[in-house]
Amino acid sequence: MILDILFPNRCMNCNQIIDGNLLVCNICFEQINFTHFEYSQDNYIKEKCKLLFPIENTFALMQFEKESLSRKIIHELKYKNREIIGKILAEWTIERLDFKNEKPDLLVTVPLHPKKLKERGYNQLHLFTETLSKFYNIPFEHDLIKRNHYSKAQALKDKQHRLKTENTFSTTRNIEGKHMLLIDDVFTTGNTISSVAWEILKSGNNKVSVLVMAIDA
């Protein structure tokens, strides 16, 4: 209570004092560009993924425009030690995502390299995924995919380096006959998602769908 008075929660965008469970004020919330994608219908991510690997369904919560509030939110989640943002983004996703009759069997997160995980202290996808798992009653696995190489942040790489993802990932065990929902934070070129997806597809008679927090189109 005293901490709430001394250090009140403030809107990430305009600095207005807001409820402790909120991320932004109501006015700034209206500035977030949500995608309004339908999970089971064609959308931008699905068209991009089709060029890279066999894809079932896709969903993105927000657009990731330059200097946008969504970009600031993702940056705070990943680099400012605000893991709780993942739970809030999951709640926003739950309000907008309907699997209908194509509910996946398993939620799978894109991993960090152990060194990066130690530096950051958490994987920004874990709380997000666990919140979705609880609501939709879908099991999750954070350790099915292993990142084999340590690399600098994706945002700091030039385009040429972002395209080099060969042998970056591997599966930790074989898993067959599952429809897996692959979860990542931002979809850019699609090469990271594609690398993970192919490892899942090679593992057995599996199907892959994709869910991301934001799309950089």
Side-chain angles (χ1 to χ4, degrees), residues 16 70-71 75 80 83 92 101 153 160 184:
Q16 176 182 326
S70 60
R71 186 177 289 261
H75 188 272
K80 299 295 185 179
E83 186 180 10
W92 293 354
N101 297 322
Q160 182 178 2
D184 203 1

Side-chain angles (χ1 to χ4, degrees), residues 26-41:
N26 292 333
I27 293 175
C28 291
F29 183 80
E30 297 299 321
Q31 298 179 28
I32 299 173
N33 190 0
F34 293 104
T35 66
H36 305 292
F37 284 177
E38 292 288 340
Y39 172 74
S40 58
Q41 296 180 3

Side-chain angles (χ1 to χ4, degrees), residues 39-41 46 56-57 99-104 179 209:
Y39 172 74
S40 58
Q41 296 180 3
K46 190 169 185 177
E56 300 297 319
N57 301 295
F99 289 119
K100 297 182 180 177
N101 297 322
E102 300 187 63
K103 185 176 173 180
H179 178 191
S209 292

Side-chain angles (χ1 to χ4, degrees), residues 192-209:
T192 296
I193 289 286
S194 177
S195 296
V196 178
W198 277 115
E199 294 303 318
I200 291 172
L201 293 167
K202 288 189 298 183
S203 179
N205 184 28
N206 298 309
K207 298 189 292 186
V208 174
S209 292

Side-chain angles (χ1 to χ4, degrees), residues 3 14 19 30-31 40-41 44 86-87 91 101 120 123 125 136 139 150 157 159 164 175 192 200 203 208 214:
L3 287 177
C14 71
D19 186 275
E30 297 299 321
Q31 298 179 28
S40 58
Q41 296 180 3
Y44 177 82
K87 183 176 186 295
E91 292 167 351
N101 297 322
R120 186 171 296 170
N123 183 315
L125 303 175
Y136 291 109
Y150 176 81
K157 298 178 185 177
K159 185 174 181 180
K164 294 180 179 179
I175 187 164
T192 296
I200 291 172
S203 179
V208 174

